[in-house]
């Protein structure tokens, strides 16, 4: 490579010479960049030069300031969407003295399929994810089902029978044991449904809407207490 | 969660009362409702009228399976909670199965006991139609 460049460029012979003797100007610059810590202070009477102002942008508006508790906001909006009348919320709210409690026999009417009834042995309060655990005996086999109380598949929840005495536990899991098992509650539920049907027949509300009926039932169930 | 050595109730009238799981088919985890398993018949069912002096003859005639038989079965109830796509959960108090032959037809002609609705999803509609109740 070098030989070829030599042959092509006649002036290239100068490059090596120039490299050997660098220019005096360059030399001085190099010497001025010595590794020294010498600091030359500015003269006192130096003219004051105002610093260039840097434009400061304001921080983006905080979401926290805009919405204090976003999760709670989502939960309330979802509950408002799924339970517009507020029936479910009141049925399981702790403030309501006539609310459904653990130990009551509840009937869950589903949009698709048969209703399921059973003793409520657990209420899991988690906002819009709240659920109830019902236990019953079908064809002599114990069955437990969890239902989400705000589920769109759940058409209505009714109190069939209340426990005589308030349960002193929050979760009645002991009711799984043979000693405490209530067995089948199907008879109680059937009797309840029959009486309710008779009441509805007496009222002769033939053209009453379905939701309206549900509301009536609930009122009657509460009135029994 | 049915796995090797799990004991299940057999709820059909094939003649088996209690069976033991020998293999969960096409899976490497516990069988759920609707899954196919291989079972060994451990206990035969004694039907009411036949329990007399000539019981042994008549039970063997009535029973389509005998103790020690290896059969295929479908799980229809589990103690393990099973969550549905809508968020509801179902749990039974026992583990139960129904015996089938290798082509998937049930061996018994009637079932006694509730079964899980998951059988429909798993294409066991024949068992579902035999059952008195499904949940």
């Amino acid at each position: 490579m070098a030989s070829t460049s030599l042959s092509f460029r006649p002036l290239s012979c100068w490059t090596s010479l120039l490299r050997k003797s660098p220019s005096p100007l360059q030399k001085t610059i190099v010497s001025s960049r010595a590794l020294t810590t010498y600091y030359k202070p500015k003269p006192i009477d130096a003219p004051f030069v105002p610093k260039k102002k840097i434009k400061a942008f304001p921080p983006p508006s905080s979401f926290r300031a805009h919405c204090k508790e976003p999760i709670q906001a989502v939960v309330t909006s979802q509950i408002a969407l799924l339970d517009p009348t507020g029936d479910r919320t009141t049925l399981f709210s702790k403030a309501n003295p006539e609310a459904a409690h653990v130990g009551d026999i509840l009937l869950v009417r589903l949009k698709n399929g048969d209703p399921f009834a059973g003793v409520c042995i657990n209420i899991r309060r988690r906002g819009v994810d709240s659920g109830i655990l019902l236990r019953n005996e079908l064809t002599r086999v114990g069955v437990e089902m969890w239902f989400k109380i705000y589920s769109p598949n759940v058409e209505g929840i009714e109190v069939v029978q209340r426990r005589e005495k308030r349960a002193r536990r929050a979760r009645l899991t002991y009711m799984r044991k043979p000693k405490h098992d209530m067995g089948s509650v199907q008879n109680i539920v059937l009797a309840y449904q029959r009486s309710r049907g008779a009441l509805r027949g007496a009222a002769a509300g033939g053209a009453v809407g379905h939701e309206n009926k549900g509301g009536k039932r609930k009122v009657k169930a509460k009135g029994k207490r | 969660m049915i796995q090797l050595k799990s004991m299940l109730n057999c709820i059909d009238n094939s003649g088996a009362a209690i069976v033991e799981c020998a293999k969960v088919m096409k899976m490497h985890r516990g069988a759920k409702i609707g899954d196919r398993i291989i079972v060994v018949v451990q206990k035969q069912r004694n039907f009411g009228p036949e329990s007399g002096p000539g019981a042994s003859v008549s039970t063997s005639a009535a029973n389509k399976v005998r103790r020690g038989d290896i059969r295929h079965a479908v799980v229809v109830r589990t103690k393990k909670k099973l969550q549905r796509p809508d968020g509801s959960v179902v749990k039974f108090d026992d583990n139960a199965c129904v015996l089938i032959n290798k082509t998937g037809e049930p061996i018994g002609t009637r079932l006694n006991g509730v079964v899980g609705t998951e059988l429909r999803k798993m294409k066991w509609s024949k068992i579902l139609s035999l059952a008195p109740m499904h949940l």
Side-chain angles (χ1 to χ4, degrees), chain A residues 32-96:
Chain A
S32 76
R33 242 187 84 234
L35 295 170
T36 177
T37 56
Y38 174 71
Y39 171 67
K40 195 176 125 193
K42 276 183 186 172
I44 297 160
D45 56 343
F48 173 73
V49 181
K51 273 185 185 169
K52 198 179 143 193
K53 183 139 190 183
I54 300 167
K55 196 185 176 190
F57 292 93
S61 65
S62 169
F63 188 74
R64 190 176 290 174
H66 177 248
C67 181
K68 275 270 166 11
E69 292 190 21
I71 289 173
Q72 206 165 19
V74 167
V75 165
T76 45
S77 74
Q78 285 291 303
I79 288 176
L81 192 75
L82 294 164
D83 183 28
T85 54
D87 284 348
R88 307 276 170 83
T89 313
T90 49
L91 186 61
F92 291 99
S93 92
K94 280 183 171 168
N96 182 9

Side-chain angles (χ1 to χ4, degrees), chain A:
Chain A
M1 184 73 191
S3 63
T4 53
S5 64
L6 265 174
S7 65
F8 284 128
R9 299 177 185 172
L11 284 174
S12 65
C13 59
W14 287 96
T15 55
S16 59
L17 278 168
L18 283 168
R19 248 179 225 156
K20 267 176 194 166
S21 61
S23 68
L25 184 79
Q26 210 176 353
K27 204 159 200 176
T28 51
I29 287 166
V30 166
S31 67
S32 76
R33 242 187 84 234
L35 295 170
T36 177
T37 56
Y38 174 71
Y39 171 67
K40 195 176 125 193
K42 276 183 186 172
I44 297 160
D45 56 343
F48 173 73
V49 181
K51 273 185 185 169
K52 198 179 143 193
K53 183 139 190 183
I54 300 167
K55 196 185 176 190
F57 292 93
S61 65
S62 169
F63 188 74
R64 190 176 290 174
H66 177 248
C67 181
K68 275 270 166 11
E69 292 190 21
I71 289 173
Q72 206 165 19
V74 167
V75 165
T76 45
S77 74
Q78 285 291 303
I79 288 176
L81 192 75
L82 294 164
D83 183 28
T85 54
D87 284 348
R88 307 276 170 83
T89 313
T90 49
L91 186 61
F92 291 99
S93 92
K94 280 183 171 168
N96 182 9
E98 293 187 342
H101 294 291
V102 154
D104 296 350
I105 297 172
L106 301 183
L107 174 73
V108 175
R109 279 181 294 119
L110 300 169
K111 280 219 176 88
N112 43 359
D114 300 322
F116 186 85
V119 191
C120 182
I121 61 174
N122 190 355
I123 300 174
R124 184 174 174 275
R125 296 172 209 273
R126 299 285 189 285
V128 76
D129 293 325
S130 300
I132 48 171
L133 178 58
L134 303 183
R135 182 182 168 82
N136 196 1
E137 205 169 71
L138 300 172
T139 65
R140 285 185 288 168
V141 178
V143 182
E144 279 175 25
M145 281 203 82
W146 274 104
F147 289 102
K148 300 283 178 201
I149 62 172
Y150 294 112
S151 166
N153 284 339
V154 173
E155 207 174 49
I157 303 172
E158 296 167 28
V159 180
V160 174
Q161 196 186 47
R162 287 181 194 264
R163 197 182 160 100
E164 304 90 63
K165 267 168 79 179
R166 185 183 66 87
R168 299 175 80 168
R169 303 277 178 279
R171 322 221 182 289
L172 310 182
T173 43
Y174 63 82
M175 291 183 88
R176 290 172 183 155
K177 291 181 182 172
K179 187 185 165 190
H180 301 280
D181 202 348
M182 275 184 88
S184 179
V185 296
Q186 214 65 21
N187 294 331
I188 302 165
V189 173
L190 275 173
Y192 164 75
Q193 279 175 325
R194 220 173 290 134
S195 71
R196 205 187 53 195
L199 278 171
R200 213 185 333 154
V208 186
H210 206 87
E211 284 178 17
N212 215 342
K213 271 187 238 164
K216 265 188 186 172
R217 275 170 217 159
K218 233 166 253 168
V219 168
K220 264 158 201 165
K222 277 171 193 167
K224 273 181 190 169
R225 285 297 95 205

Side-chain angles (χ1 to χ4, degrees), chain A residues 135 139 142-146, chain B residues 86 88-89 91 93 113-114 135:
Chain A
R135 182 182 168 82
T139 65
V143 182
E144 279 175 25
M145 281 203 82
W146 274 104
Chain B
D86 67 342
S88 63
V89 177
K91 172 189 183 300
D93 273 5
V114 62
L135 196 72

Side-chain angles (χ1 to χ4, degrees), chain B residues 13-16 44-47 50-51 54-67 69 71 107 109:
Chain B
N13 65 347
S14 61
Q44 270 177 271
R45 197 181 289 277
N46 288 324
F47 290 107
E50 282 93 344
S51 58
S56 63
V57 182
S58 49
T59 47
S60 61
N63 289 356
K64 286 178 185 157
V65 297
R66 304 195 56 166
R67 193 177 155 273
D69 275 6
R71 297 284 175 159
I107 290 172
T109 52

